[in-house]
Each structure stands twice: as structure tokens, then as C-alpha cells.
């Protein structure tokens, strides 16, 4: 069964026409809720779309001037918005050891501020923005990280502070991992720091510190994901690995951390890698998505673990049923309490988390739906039929899915309400 789809087209800049022998590749995108940026393969235009709550179709609001340039590292582009000042901030790498941070007007798209930084932007997946502040992390050629704090105002950005690694934790340049985890509304910055190798990780908030120890035999610890529980508490997923296994993240400990005073209220050991965690207040639980590698199995096993948000007790663990030929684009949980699973063939599964918590994932393969897809690009794609892997990447919104094909100016919007939910 196919799902209803809205097709949108990325406009090129006025007067620009690609060379006939220069084929379309996939659009590049940056997700900056509630906006998404799209850039074409020639960087002729970077368009800003508004994903308004309660509407099905994103609206084109402006285009950035100048557009985000074409770089060798398109996956390292990052964007965030500060709606209070109508500012959108984009970051990208220009070469192997140089990054650019730009602040644009959300109204006109005009450039307000441009800052060049020596080093590469890292750790961009955590929440580093408040109503008027932003935090970025740059690693130099020796991999030495430094956190840079900016004030955001209607005219752009102003640097206010730089934070380096703590020599008491990391003795040698390049052996440290310093991550800004959360920028609180009052401007306080929660960070994690660890040496490489080390079996401990230090959280810092102002003058307070909390030492976290690994649950397994590990000499490397890395915070992979964070979920906010309340204004005074969070949960973090700390992956634990060992150099003897090429730093394969074999296990994980999930910690619930409270801020005043800074301490751990519970910890839960997960015997596999965890890639993301989300908090679902209506269910009273944390959902951890991860995977485990077994050389004796044809595919990597993907797992979903439900934990009690108050105690960390495991409520349910489910293996996501996969076939050997499956090529996964997305496995995510949304703030609307849905589980979303997307394959490169355009097959998608969306289910309410409450259903999975109560009944598991039985019948998931039968409940896969097929997205509307473009016309095949060539004979090989036509021959593949339903097995044609035409999806380049997706953006998972709380109520909808944005799908970007391998080629062309179009991208697709699918409202979750039009996907038939199969009750198990």
C-alpha cells in the first residue's frame, strides 16, 4: 500500500541553469526545527522552509545570501535557529582545518555576521542554543577541543567566552574529548570530559563536578545522546568501548543526572551500543535505540529498550525485525511518541510507542508501507522495481517525514496521519 505524498521543489537561484551534462544529485539539507534548509548540488541557492506546527506542507520563507557553498564535507553542515531574534545560524567546513559560522536574518536571508574558525566543528548533535546564546565546539589539527560561547542578537553573533580542556583530566593535547552537552536558559553550560584512554568521564556544571565510571571493561567513554527530563534533570547515554576491539561501542550506561546538586540519581547498564535516547512523559519512560554486532549474524541487530524514567528499570526490550537486504535510512522516536523506521527502498513503518510497549513489534514487516517514489533514473533502477534504493536521506519530524531522493530538485513530505497504523 502506498501513502499519500506532497511533492515540493527546491528553487534554483534566478538566472542559474545547470549544465546539461551536470546531472542532479541529492539535495543537501540541514534540520533546524522548526525550519529546514535545502541546498542544490551546485550551491546556487540555499532555501529556508518553515515547518509550521499544525500544517501539512512546509512553506518557503526565504533564501540565504550568500548560499552555503559546496564543500567536500556536506554531512558536516549544521544549522540552528534563534526565533527570539529572527536569526538562523549555519556552520560548515571550508577545508580540513577551517570552519565558518554565519548568522542570517530569518526574514530576509541576508548575512548578518560571518566568523572563520581554525579547526573543525564537532559535537553538533546536542542542544547548544537558548533564547540568546549558542555554544560551538572546534577541534584543532591536534584534535584539541575548545568550546566557544556566543551571544545572539538581532545583528548577529558576539563571542563571549572560550573553554578549553581541563589539564587535570587530560594531560596530553589530543587525548581529550570535551563535549558541551546542554546550554541552560540561565547560560550555565553542562560539559563532559574524558581522557583517551580512560574508564571515567567527568561532568561539569559551573564549579560542580560529577565523576561517572564505566559499567564494563572500557578504556574509552563517549556521550552519544541526551534527553531532557525536567528543567533540573537529564538522562545521558554513555557508550563504553575498548581499544582492543577497535573502539567498537559494545556496551552503554544510561545515567539520570540532576543539577542541584550535580549527582546521578540512577544508572542502567545496557549490554549493547545505544545511539539515541528520547524521553516520553506520557508513557513515563525513556526509549533507547541501539544495535549490536555479531559476526555470526548476517545483519547487525537493532534493538529498542524501554526504561522507567524514575528508576531506570528496563520495562521492555524489542529486536527490530530486519531482512538481510535491508538498507536502513532512519530509526527514530519522535516527541509525538511515535517510532519511525525507513528503508532506502522507500518502505516505512510508523507505530505508536504505547502500542510497542504493550505488545511489541510483532507483525512489523507486514505493516511496512511504500512511499510514492520518482520515476526510475535508468534501466538498472527500472529493473530493480520495488527493491530500487532511491532514498538518499530523510528528516523525521514529530508529525511528518521529509524524504530526499538520490537525484533531482524534488523532496517529499508525508504526514504520519495518512500512514495506516497496524494494531498488533
Amino acid at each position: 500500500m502506498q501513502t499519500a505524498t506532497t511533492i515540493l521543489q527546491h528553487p534554483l537561484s534566478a538566472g542559474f541553469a545547470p549544465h546539461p551534462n551536470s546531472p542532479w544529485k541529492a539535495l543537501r539539507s540541514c534540520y533546524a526545527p522548526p525550519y529546514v534548509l535545502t541546498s542544490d548540488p551546485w550551491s546556487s541557492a540555499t532555501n529556508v522552509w518553515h515547518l509550521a506546527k499544525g500544517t501539512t506542507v512546509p512553506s518557503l520563507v526565504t533564501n540565504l545570501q550568500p548560499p552555503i557553498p559546496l564543500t567536500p564535507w556536506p554531512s558536516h553542515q549544521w544549522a540552528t535557529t534563534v526565533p527570539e531574534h529572527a536569526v538562523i545560524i549555519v556552520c560548515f567546513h571550508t577545508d580540513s582545518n577551517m570552519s565558518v559560522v554565519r548568522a542570517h536574518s530569518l526574514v530576509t536571508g541576508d548575512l548578518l555576521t560571518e566568523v572563520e574558525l581554525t579547526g573543525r566543528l564537532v559535537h553538533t548533535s546536542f542542544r547548544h542554543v537558548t533564547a540568546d546564546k549558542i555554544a560551538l565546539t572546534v577541534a584543532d589539527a591536534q584534535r584539541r577541543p575548545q568550546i566557544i560561547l556566543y551571544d545572539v542578537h538581532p545583528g548577529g553573533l558576539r563571542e563571549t567566552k572560550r573553554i578549553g580542556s581541563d589539564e587535570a583530566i587530560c594531560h596530553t593535547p589530543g587525548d581529550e574529548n570535551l563535549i558541551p552537552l546542554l546550554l541552560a536558559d540561565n547560560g550555565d553550560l553542562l560539559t563532559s570530559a574524558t581522557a583517551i584512554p580512560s574508564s571515567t568521564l567527568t561532568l561539569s556544571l559551573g564549579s560542580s563536578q560529577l565523576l561517572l565510571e564505566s559499567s564494563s571493561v572500557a578504556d574509552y567513554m563517549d556521550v552519544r545522546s541526551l534527553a531532557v527530563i525536567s528543567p533540573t534533570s537529564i538522562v545521558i547515554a554513555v557508550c563504553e568501548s575498548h581499544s582492543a576491539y577497535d573502539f567498537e561501542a559494545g556496551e552503554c550506561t544510561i545515567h539520570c543526572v540532576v543539577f542541584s546538586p550535580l549527582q546521578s540519581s540512577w544508572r542502567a547498564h545496557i549490554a549493547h551500543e545505544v545511539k539515541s535516547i528520547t524521553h516520553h512523559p506520557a508513557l513515563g519512560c525513556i526509549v533507547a535505540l541501539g544495535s549490536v554486532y555479531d559476526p555470526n549474524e548476517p545483519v547487525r541487530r537493532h534493538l529498542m529498550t524501554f526504561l522507567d524514567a524514575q528508576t531506570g528499570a528496563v520495562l521492555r526490550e524489542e529486536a527490530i525485525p530486519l531482512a538481510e537486504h535491508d538498507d536502513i535510512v532512519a530509526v527514530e522516536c519522535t516527541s509525538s511518541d511515535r517510532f519511525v523506521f525507513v528503508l532506502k527502498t522507500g518502505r516505512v513503518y510508523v507505530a505508536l510507542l504505547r502500542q510497542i510497549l504493550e505488545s511489541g513489534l510483532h507483525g512489523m514487516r507486514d505493516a511496512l508501507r511504500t512511499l510514492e517514489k520518482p520515476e526510475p533514473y535508468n534501466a538498472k533502477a527500472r529493473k530493480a522495481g520495488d527493491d530500487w534504493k532511491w532514498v538518499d536521506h530523510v528528516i523525521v519530524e514529530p508529525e511528518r517525514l521529509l524524504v530526499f531522493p538520490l537525484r533531482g530538485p524534488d523532496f517529499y513530505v508525508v504526514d504520519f496521519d495518512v500512514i495506516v497504523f497496524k494494531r498488533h
Side-chain angles (χ1 to χ4, degrees):
M1 179 184 294
Q2 285 196 340
T3 62
T5 302
T6 299
I7 302 177
L8 297 177
Q9 188 170 90
H10 166 89
L12 299 174
S13 61
F16 176 83
H19 191 277
N21 294 328
S22 179
W24 272 92
K25 296 180 181 179
L27 291 173
R28 290 171 290 145
S29 68
C30 288
Y31 185 40
Y35 297 87
V36 64
L37 282 63
T38 58
S39 298
D40 53 81
W42 306 277
S43 291
S44 77
T46 298
N47 297 309
V48 182
W49 306 79
H50 186 211
L51 306 166
K53 190 174 183 179
T55 62
T56 303
V57 182
S59 57
L60 180 62
V61 294
T62 189
N63 55 79
L64 301 186
Q65 298 295 335
I68 299 174
L70 184 64
T71 74
W73 301 275
S75 62
H76 288 222
Q77 295 174 4
W78 176 73
T80 191
T81 57
V82 186
E84 288 82 357
H85 298 300
V87 170
I88 186 165
I89 298 165
V90 297
C91 313
F92 53 89
H93 298 158
T94 56
D95 60 36
S96 60
N97 197 39
M98 186 66 68
S99 301
V100 172
V101 181
R102 289 177 178 172
H104 292 261
S105 166
L106 261 176
V107 179
T108 65
D110 292 341
L111 179 65
L112 303 173
T113 307
E114 180 174 284
V115 180
E116 289 190 349
L117 299 171
T118 301
R120 304 192 70 181
L121 288 163
V122 292
H123 308 312
T124 57
S125 61
F126 296 104
R127 180 176 172 263
H128 298 153
V129 62
T130 67
D132 57 3
K133 295 182 186 298
I134 185 171
L136 303 174
T137 309
V138 176
D140 63 17
Q142 286 73 45
R143 297 181 296 141
R144 182 188 292 109
Q146 188 175 56
I147 299 170
I148 308 174
L149 293 171
Y150 293 93
D151 279 345
V152 183
H153 53 85
L157 298 172
R158 180 176 63 86
E159 183 179 323
T160 60
K161 189 176 182 181
R162 294 197 175 207
I163 303 171
S165 54
D166 188 343
E167 293 184 2
I169 299 173
C170 308
H171 304 286
T172 306
D175 74 349
E176 64 265 68
N177 194 14
L178 176 66
I179 306 177
L181 296 179
L182 185 71
L183 184 60
D185 290 337
N186 64 359
D188 288 343
L189 181 66
L190 176 69
T191 64
S192 75
T194 185
I196 306 170
S198 176
S199 59
T200 62
L201 181 143
T202 302
L203 299 183
S204 299
L205 181 64
S207 59
S208 300
Q209 289 191 334
L210 173 64
L211 185 69
L212 301 178
E213 297 181 345
S214 63
S215 299
S216 57
V217 177
D219 60 9
Y220 179 71
M221 298 174 68
D222 184 26
V223 180
R224 290 292 178 86
S225 185
L226 177 150
V228 176
I229 301 295
S230 72
T232 59
S233 63
I234 60 169
V235 288
I236 56 174
V238 180
C239 282
E240 302 164 358
S241 55
H242 199 282
S243 55
Y245 303 99
D246 295 325
F247 295 109
E248 177 78 23
E251 301 190 19
C252 177
T253 303
I254 297 176
H255 301 264
C256 181
V257 177
V258 296
F259 299 155
S260 184
L262 188 63
Q263 60 182 342
S264 175
S265 64
W266 57 257
R267 58 187 286 159
H269 179 228
I270 306 295
H272 58 263
E273 178 186 12
V274 171
K275 295 185 177 180
S276 70
I277 52 175
T278 48
H279 178 222
H280 302 276
L283 304 179
C285 69
I286 308 296
V287 179
L289 296 174
S291 63
V292 61
Y293 171 71
D294 185 339
N296 298 317
E297 295 188 7
V299 295
R300 193 179 186 95
R301 275 197 302 137
H302 287 252
L303 300 165
M304 170 188 285
T305 308
F306 292 82
L307 300 98
D308 187 291
Q310 298 300 316
T311 66
V314 174
L315 304 175
R316 188 181 193 106
E317 186 163 273
E318 284 288 312
I320 299 171
L322 298 176
E324 188 171 352
H325 60 275
D326 283 345
D327 200 343
I328 301 171
V329 178
V331 181
E332 296 186 29
C333 294
T334 72
S335 60
S336 59
D337 298 334
R338 291 182 171 94
F339 170 65
V340 182
F341 173 85
V342 186
L343 297 173
K344 276 190 171 292
T345 54
R347 295 187 179 97
V348 58
Y349 174 79
V350 180
L352 298 174
L353 287 174
R354 185 177 297 279
Q355 290 178 217
I356 301 173
L357 178 60
E358 294 172 352
S359 307
L361 284 167
H362 306 296
M364 172 180 158
R365 300 297 302 189
D366 295 334
L368 286 170
R369 298 292 180 258
T370 302
L371 299 174
E372 182 179 341
K373 59 188 175 185
E375 288 296 318
Y377 307 135
N378 49 38
K380 184 178 180 180
R382 285 191 291 273
K383 184 178 180 180
D386 290 340
D387 293 327
W388 176 34
K389 297 179 179 181
W390 60 272
V391 178
D392 181 77
H393 67 282
V394 300
I395 292 174
V396 179
E397 273 259 293
E399 304 291 343
R400 60 197 149 191
L401 186 69
L402 278 64
V403 184
F404 295 84
L406 290 172
R407 297 185 189 178
D410 296 341
F411 63 101
Y412 305 154
V413 183
V414 182
D415 194 316
F416 289 150
D417 286 343
V418 305
I419 297 176
V420 177
F421 291 93
K422 182 181 178 67
R423 291 199 172 273
H424 308 307

